[in-house]
């Protein structure tokens, strides 16, 4: 498996576990708690990927753009998270205006 796919699968696994199990139990519909836990979850993804690619100079492709490991992980994490976060906000009626 190539590196891009592995990082995408890691991001997907983290987001699914977070929004499917952790956030409903620990954050509920509190937007501030969700944001805090999401910061930790995305930081975990960066930590895992960074342990392998930090300082290697390895470049990843997103469409036609080359990115380093940090930006690739962050951008793909956000892209994977957006539809799941939208579903979570609707399902748990998260109030974003607080």
């Amino acid at each position: 498996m190539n590196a891009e796919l592995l990082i995408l699968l890691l991001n997907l696994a983290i987001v699914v576990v977070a929004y499917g199990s952790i956030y409903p139990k620990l954050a509920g519909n509190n937007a501030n708690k969700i944001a805090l836990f999401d910061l930790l979850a995305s930081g975990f993804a960066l930590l895992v990927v960074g342990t392998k690619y930090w300082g290697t100079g390895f470049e990843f492709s997103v469409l036609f753009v080359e990115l380093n490991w940090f930006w690739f992980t962050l951008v793909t994490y956000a892209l994977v998270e957006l539809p799941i976060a939208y579903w979570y906000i609707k399902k748990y009626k998260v109030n974003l205006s607080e």
Side-chain angles (χ1 to χ4, degrees), residues 11-95:
N11 288 341
L12 180 62
I14 291 171
V15 169
V16 166
V17 169
Y19 280 94
S21 179
I22 297 170
Y23 295 178
K25 293 176 185 164
L26 299 178
N29 65 352
N30 185 320
N32 290 328
K33 286 184 180 179
I34 293 167
L36 175 64
F37 291 135
D38 194 52
L39 183 64
L40 295 173
S42 58
F44 177 70
L46 289 168
L47 178 70
V48 170
V49 175
T51 58
K52 175 134 177 88
Y53 293 104
W54 187 313
T56 64
F58 194 89
E59 298 217 342
F60 299 89
S61 295
V62 176
L63 298 175
F64 300 107
V65 179
E66 297 292 321
L67 300 172
N68 66 13
W69 66 269
F70 179 87
W71 290 110
F72 180 82
T73 304
L74 203 57
V75 167
T76 57
Y77 186 91
L79 292 174
V80 167
E81 180 185 28
L82 282 172
I84 297 172
Y86 180 77
W87 164 82
Y88 185 91
I89 290 166
K90 293 296 182 190
K91 179 176 180 176
Y92 291 97
K93 297 176 178 50
V94 177
N95 184 1

